[in-house]
């Protein structure tokens, strides 16, 4: 009787070991579990959500750098910018009527400005002054070094602006901004009201304060994100008009900057936001955009879902060369850090960051 008992025990142990091994391999057989964005469970390098679509993107993907979620809890995060002097990231939480700040030195997060007049986009000029594009007041403002506020623009030809959205500063001091009107279309991001003028792109002269319309409704439906090429010879502008106009494209346009940085001409499509996703043609929206020193355009993207939402990177010739996939719709982005090689992404309720081997072309 002892020998059969020994055989049964050995068989039982062998079977148990096999079951344990099988259980250990089960997640791999069924596919890895969904990514944990809390940071408690690290991601194996290289980060699978940084996707190379073209060999030109390989040089920008760092093998031992991962996407991190550094903050969450917003209602709709927008207008993320880097302050080089303060070494912090600033962004707007539009529905909550506040601006937030993340300190690089210790990751501390605090409310930077409340109320913020439902600000959307933010940037800094070449004197380090913050410029905000406000939905609630339908104006562009500058925060002076002493803390006072200067209203740079709130009307066009005697009528209220729609709801300034995003913008950038040219080296001549001119402030370029888009005015698609989203903050006035509902109470969630501003104050619901009527759009009194057609959507457009404007320039504010740094000396006279005079405004000029650069791009009107005859060329774009709802101009949104805006950035300059590295040498400021071109300006890229996102059109999100398809949100309200059936005939509007989902694309990014670009124009030649002429007349000493005061006007544009020769507008044409830079890229369509349509892409092939698992054998199906899909098209979401770009939103905020930034250029790196090599002239690539990094576009916050969304409104499709997994495999699309996040950041899409386009080479200067318009080829989509890479993606940074996020679990939320990405609204805006900027390059930050002392070397301008850390990409910060404002994505719906959260802020994400990742180091890349690219550097932002401009101060923010």
């Amino acid at each position: 009787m002892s020998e059969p008992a020994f055989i049964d025990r050995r068989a039982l142990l062998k079977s148990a070991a096999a079951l344990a091994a099988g259980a250990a391999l089960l997640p791999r057989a069924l596919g890895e579990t969904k990514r944990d964005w809390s940071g408690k469970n690290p991601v194996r390098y290289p980060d699978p959500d940084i996707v190379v679509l073209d060999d030109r993107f390989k040089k920008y993907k760092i093998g031992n750098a991962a996407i991190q979620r550094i903050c969450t809890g917003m209602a709709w995060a927008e207008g993320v910018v880097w302050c080089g002097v303060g070494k912090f990231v600033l962004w707007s939480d539009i529905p909550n009527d506040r601006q937030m700040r993340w300190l690089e030195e210790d990751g501390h997060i605090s409310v930077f400005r409340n109320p913020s007049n439902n600000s959307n986009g933010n940037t800094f000029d070449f004197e380090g002054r913050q410029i905000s594009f406000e939905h609630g007041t339908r104006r562009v403002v500058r925060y002076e070094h002493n803390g006072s506020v200067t209203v740079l623009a709130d009307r066009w030809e005697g009528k209220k602006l729609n709801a300034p959205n995003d913008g950038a500063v040219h080296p001549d001091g001119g402030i370029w901004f888009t005015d698609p009107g989203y903050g006035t279309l509902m109470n969630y991001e501003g104050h619901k009201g009527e759009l009194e003028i057609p959507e457009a792109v404007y320039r504010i002269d740094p000396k006279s304060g005079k405004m000029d319309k650069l791009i009107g409704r005859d060329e774009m439906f709802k101009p949104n994100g805006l950035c300059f090429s590295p040498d400021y010879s071109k300006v890229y502008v996102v059109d999100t008009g398809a949100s309200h106009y059936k005939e509007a494209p989902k694309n990014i346009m670009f124009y030649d900057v002429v007349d000493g940085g005061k006007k544009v001409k020769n507008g044409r499509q830079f890229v369509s936001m349509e892409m092939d996703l698992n054998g199906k043609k899909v098209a979401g929206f770009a939103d905020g955009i930034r250029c790196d020193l090599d002239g690539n355009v990094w576009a916050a993207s969304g409104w499709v879902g997994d495999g699309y939402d996040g950041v899409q990177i386009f080479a200067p010739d318009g080829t989509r060369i890479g993606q940074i996939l996020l679990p939320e719709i990405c609204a805006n982005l900027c390059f930050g850090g002392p070397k301008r090689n850390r990409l910060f992404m404002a994505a719906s309720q959260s802020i994400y960051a990742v180091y890349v081997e690219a550097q932002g072309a401009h101060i923010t």
Side-chain angles (χ1 to χ4, degrees):
M1 294 293 293
S2 61
E3 184 63 19
F6 173 75
I7 293 172
D8 289 344
R9 192 179 302 112
R10 185 171 60 187
L12 181 63
L13 291 171
K14 187 175 181 180
S15 176
L19 284 171
L25 293 173
L26 189 60
R28 292 179 185 174
L30 297 178
E32 295 292 337
T33 56
K34 205 165 185 178
R35 180 168 182 157
D36 175 15
W37 288 101
S38 71
K40 294 178 181 178
N41 297 310
V43 175
R44 186 184 299 276
Y45 293 141
D47 193 317
D49 289 322
I50 304 174
V51 182
V52 175
L53 301 176
D54 183 288
D55 284 348
R56 284 174 285 181
F57 188 63
K58 287 181 179 179
K59 63 187 264 188
Y60 304 114
K61 177 178 178 175
I62 300 174
N64 60 340
I67 308 164
Q68 297 175 304
R69 187 172 70 178
I70 62 174
C71 178
T72 193
M74 276 71 66
W76 180 249
E78 258 280 13
V80 59
V81 290
W82 168 257
C83 177
V85 174
K87 295 185 178 181
F88 62 81
V89 175
L90 168 72
W91 69 91
S92 297
D93 182 3
I94 305 176
N96 286 321
D97 195 19
R98 61 183 182 173
Q99 293 174 358
M100 304 292 293
R101 176 176 57 180
W102 174 88
L103 293 177
E104 182 189 47
E105 62 185 23
D106 62 0
H108 179 72
I109 298 163
S110 62
V111 176
F112 183 70
R113 183 172 284 113
N114 184 10
S116 65
N117 296 318
N118 303 106
S119 68
N120 184 329
N122 300 285
T123 191
F124 290 96
D125 66 14
F126 289 90
E127 295 182 37
R129 297 171 297 185
Q130 181 189 341
I131 296 169
S132 292
F133 306 95
E134 299 178 346
H135 281 346
T137 54
R138 301 165 75 155
R139 65 186 189 178
V140 179
V141 300
R142 182 176 63 218
Y143 291 93
E144 308 297 346
H145 295 304
N146 64 5
S148 63
V149 180
T150 299
V151 178
L152 301 175
D154 61 359
R155 292 180 178 271
W156 171 251
E157 296 182 342
K159 296 181 180 179
K160 291 181 181 179
L161 293 175
N162 294 321
N165 192 285
D166 201 359
V169 180
H170 189 275
D172 69 2
I175 299 166
W176 296 43
F177 71 95
T178 61
D179 188 32
Y182 287 110
T184 305
L185 297 176
M186 63 173 89
N187 286 316
Y188 186 59
E189 295 186 12
H191 306 293
K192 188 173 182 179
E194 296 296 323
L195 302 188
E196 299 181 13
I197 53 178
E199 301 91 329
V201 177
Y202 300 96
R203 175 186 180 272
I204 304 170
D205 187 83
K207 295 180 179 179
S208 67
K210 180 178 177 291
M211 279 177 57
D212 289 305
K213 183 189 288 188
L214 302 177
I215 304 169
R217 274 285 277 110
D218 57 329
E219 296 185 75
M220 299 187 73
F221 288 84
K222 279 190 177 294
N224 199 315
L226 179 151
C227 75
F228 291 105
S229 62
D231 62 359
Y232 293 92
S233 66
K234 294 180 177 62
V235 63
Y236 296 88
V237 188
V238 172
D239 193 345
T240 54
S243 63
H244 287 78
Y245 302 105
K246 291 182 179 180
E247 67 273 28
K250 297 179 178 180
N251 68 1
I252 302 174
M253 297 286 289
F254 70 131
Y255 296 78
D256 296 326
V257 178
V258 297
D259 194 20
K262 296 179 175 62
K263 295 181 180 179
V264 299
K265 71 174 185 178
N266 193 26
R268 63 271 196 204
Q269 177 172 287
F270 171 62
V271 68
S272 167
M273 292 307 295
E274 182 180 83
M275 70 175 289
D276 189 299
L277 183 61
N278 299 323
K280 181 181 178 182
K281 293 289 185 183
V282 296
F285 290 96
D287 200 334
I289 51 177
R290 292 289 188 274
C291 268
D292 65 26
L293 285 174
D294 292 335
N296 301 300
V297 176
W298 300 62
S301 309
W303 304 101
V304 170
D306 290 344
Y308 188 97
D309 295 359
V311 177
Q312 298 185 26
I313 301 91
F314 300 93
D317 65 3
T319 303
R320 183 183 279 106
I321 60 173
Q323 290 179 275
I324 299 173
L325 300 177
L326 300 176
E328 303 179 69
I329 295 161
C330 191
N332 220 317
L333 72 170
C334 76
F335 289 94
K339 299 179 182 178
R340 298 200 315 278
N341 65 335
R342 194 175 189 187
L343 189 70
F344 293 94
M345 298 158 279
S348 301
Q349 300 166 65
S350 309
I351 302 294
Y352 297 85
V354 63
Y355 283 99
V356 293
E357 198 55 29
Q359 290 181 290
H362 306 304
I363 56 174
T364 186

